[in-house]
Amino acid sequence: MEKTVYVLLLVMTVSALGNGVDVNDEARETISEIDRKLKLLNKPAVKSIKSEDGDIINCVDIYKQPSFDHPALKNHTIQLRPSFDIPTEKQDRRNEASLSVRTQTWQKSGSCPNGTVPIRRIRRQDLLKAASLEQFGRKTPEIFYVVNRTYVKSTQFVSVHNSTIKLDRLVNRSAAVLLTIGYNYIGAQADINVWDPNVESPDDFTTAQIWLKGGPGDNFESVESGWMVNPKLYGDKLPRFFAYWTRDAYKSTGCFDLTCTGFVQTSTQIALGASIYPWSSDLGPQYHIPVAMSLDPNSGNWWLKYADIPVGYWPTALFDYLKQSAIFVEWGGQVYSPNVKKTPHTKTAMGSGSFAQSLYASACFINHVRIIDYSLQLKYPEWVGTWADEEDCYDAYNLIQGYTVEPIFFFGGPGQNPRCM
């Protein structure tokens, strides 16, 4: 109700101002707050590029980007490139069926000059859709089931080698993941198959991504990246490359892309939140994006890489537990909706919208799964487990075809279906 009143007030206020109608001081203050927020998010552009997907990309001076408004980064010295490059494997992938998507839609319309970074412009209507200005660009905090007699499956234990991982079921999210646990992960990467899944409600979103986490389960720190469809944040249903961070399990810190201060962008080529094209089709061509995150052992910054391009980094000053390493890595998908684990269930799909068992060219996959530890070598995790908390709605399957062929992780589902009502 609070959100509805907020949006209604803003829409009415904007309409009244446009028609010359006098408005009260409170409404004027609301509009003023929106304008201040837009000014903080949209720094002056050296150049602007209108993309065919409707986005406007501002080329902003690298030293004037929003990140440096963060209190912990007031005297931050920008790291223009990683001192430790994420290792890449010399594999011959010419015969692989999936094609790598290494460009973004906006790049068809222009490029940003050296010394600038491409930042997707935030519009007034984007802010109007948010529950509040403070909540804009943030995930809703995780809500855990209370253990009681009516829902006995509130907690699930997953065994990974000799470790038992306790995974609490969430009220407002559903996940299907491949996971590993350890004590010294300083990086993870994979090729993430790209689709355009159905998102039923403007309040829902769906992702295919990598998580690196540290700290206690109820207050973890995380850096995340992959692709997502999020109508509320982006205003459409296109798959988009995203980044996220949090210091307190999404309670009050962090955000998507550059919608808050924190992430420092360095690339002139890749824009966070920009759309990806082409994407895969059922029984048709398959496409993926190569995504990697790694801790620079010299600076302590967490670098994000898209294909072979270092996009930027989360500064070490943002974190406590992740200053040294991550202890938990996940690859897979997540659906956020007020209508997961309810009847009727949301029809928002995960991955391709097909279940994992339908396999290649039908189900979404994540391939070339890798972790990096302090040996600074890329490795397939020695021990992994799979987990899906609504298997009749979205499932997970790590396909192992023998000792000579690397496993491929499949995941996803349609949401509401005859097994998931």
Side-chain angles (χ1 to χ4, degrees):
M1 180 66 182
E2 177 185 352
K3 173 187 161 185
T4 304
V5 172
Y6 174 79
V7 173
L8 215 54
L9 171 64
L10 294 180
V11 171
M12 290 172 63
T13 304
V14 172
S15 176
L17 287 174
N19 290 302
V21 178
D22 194 22
V23 293
N24 60 36
D25 291 340
E26 183 179 349
R28 290 183 188 279
E29 185 176 345
T30 303
I31 294 299
S32 179
E33 289 172 357
I34 292 175
D35 289 340
R36 281 196 295 269
K37 182 77 169 179
L38 286 171
K39 188 174 181 180
L40 287 171
L41 291 170
N42 298 319
K43 298 299 184 183
V46 174
K47 174 183 177 181
S48 293
I49 299 168
K50 177 113 164 80
S51 175
E52 64 182 43
D53 59 12
D55 283 352
I56 295 177
I57 303 297
N58 289 337
C59 303
V60 175
D61 186 317
I62 191 171
Y63 294 101
K64 296 179 181 177
Q65 60 183 292
S67 308
F68 300 122
D69 291 336
H70 193 287
L73 302 180
K74 288 297 184 184
N75 299 311
H76 180 75
T77 300
I78 192 168
Q79 184 180 5
L80 293 175
R81 59 189 58 84
S83 65
F84 163 69
D85 194 21
I86 302 171
T88 55
E89 296 175 307
K90 293 182 171 35
Q91 290 182 321
D92 185 357
R93 300 184 180 179
R94 288 174 295 180
N95 295 325
E96 291 191 3
S98 179
L99 302 173
S100 178
V101 181
R102 295 174 178 264
T103 59
Q104 296 178 303
T105 305
W106 70 272
Q107 293 171 325
K108 299 177 187 177
S109 306
S111 60
C112 284
N114 290 335
T116 69
V117 292
I119 300 178
R120 181 179 174 273
R121 183 183 296 178
I122 305 301
R123 303 161 301 173
R124 184 185 297 273
Q125 56 263 43
D126 298 327
L127 297 183
L128 289 174
K129 288 183 290 187
S132 68
L133 292 180
E134 292 73 24
Q135 192 61 30
F136 175 71
R138 288 181 174 169
K139 291 185 181 182
T140 301
E142 294 184 341
I143 303 171
F144 295 92
Y145 278 103
V146 176
V147 178
N148 57 35
R149 293 181 181 178
T150 61
Y151 204 92
V152 295
K153 292 183 178 179
S154 59
T155 300
Q156 183 171 345
F157 295 90
V158 178
S159 178
V160 180
H161 187 34
N162 58 354
S163 298
T164 299
I165 304 171
K166 174 178 171 288
L167 297 172
D168 292 317
R169 290 174 59 92
L170 301 172
V171 174
N172 53 2
R173 288 167 170 77
S174 191
V177 297
L178 179 78
L179 54 93
T180 188
I181 187 168
Y183 297 100
N184 62 347
Y185 298 128
I186 62 167
Q189 63 186 61
D191 294 342
I192 306 176
N193 190 206
V194 182
W195 293 78
D196 63 330
N198 172 62
V199 174
E200 180 183 30
S201 165
D203 289 328
D204 294 3
F205 68 74
T206 182
T207 76
Q209 65 173 97
I210 306 171
W211 295 258
L212 281 142
K213 296 180 178 180
D218 61 348
N219 206 44
F220 64 82
E221 299 178 348
S222 179
V223 290
E224 310 171 16
S225 187
W227 63 262
M228 74 183 311
V229 178
N230 188 333
K232 177 178 281 188
L233 181 61
Y234 299 119
D236 57 35
K237 295 186 178 182
L238 297 174
R240 293 171 175 271
F241 174 62
F242 81 92
Y244 200 95
W245 69 276
T246 182
R247 187 174 180 161
D248 59 358
Y250 314 126
K251 295 183 184 73
S252 63
T253 63
C255 63
F256 287 108
D257 308 331
L258 299 175
T259 56
C260 69
T261 58
F263 187 88
V264 177
Q265 182 149 343
T266 59
S267 171
T268 61
Q269 302 174 61
I270 300 299
L272 295 177
S275 68
I276 302 165
Y277 188 83
W279 52 78
S280 306
S281 58
D282 193 42
L283 301 180
Q286 299 299 295
Y287 297 93
H288 69 263
I289 56 171
V291 176
M293 292 174 283
S294 69
L295 180 69
D296 187 317
N298 296 310
S299 67
N301 299 326
W302 280 93
W303 278 86
L304 171 62
K305 203 171 184 179
Y306 178 98
D308 298 322
I309 302 169
V311 178
Y313 60 90
W314 294 276
T316 187
L318 298 179
F319 305 111
D320 291 317
Y321 299 103
L322 287 180
K323 286 182 185 295
Q324 302 299 322
S325 65
I327 60 172
F328 199 60
V329 186
E330 297 173 78
W331 299 260
Q334 184 180 81
V335 167
Y336 167 82
S337 174
N339 296 313
V340 294
K341 304 183 178 79
K342 289 183 180 178
T343 301
H345 194 280
T346 180
K347 294 179 182 177
T348 292
M350 180 191 295
S352 68
S354 295
F355 285 110
Q357 297 285 346
S358 60
L359 300 181
Y360 191 83
S362 184
C364 190
F365 67 83
I366 296 183
N367 205 2
H368 301 112
V369 166
R370 294 289 183 272
I371 56 94
I372 308 170
D373 58 21
Y374 276 101
S375 70
L376 304 185
Q377 300 297 314
L378 281 174
K379 305 174 183 179
Y380 186 88
E382 187 173 3
W383 306 104
V384 296
T386 60
W387 179 66
D389 58 352
E390 285 191 295
E391 291 184 339
D392 289 336
C393 310
Y394 317 103
D395 65 354
Y397 177 51
N398 201 30
L399 177 63
I400 301 173
Q401 298 174 296
Y403 293 106
T404 59
V405 181
E406 185 175 291
I408 302 176
F409 176 61
F410 293 92
F411 66 97
Q416 187 184 130
N417 69 85
R419 291 159 41 198
C420 170
M421 301 300 291

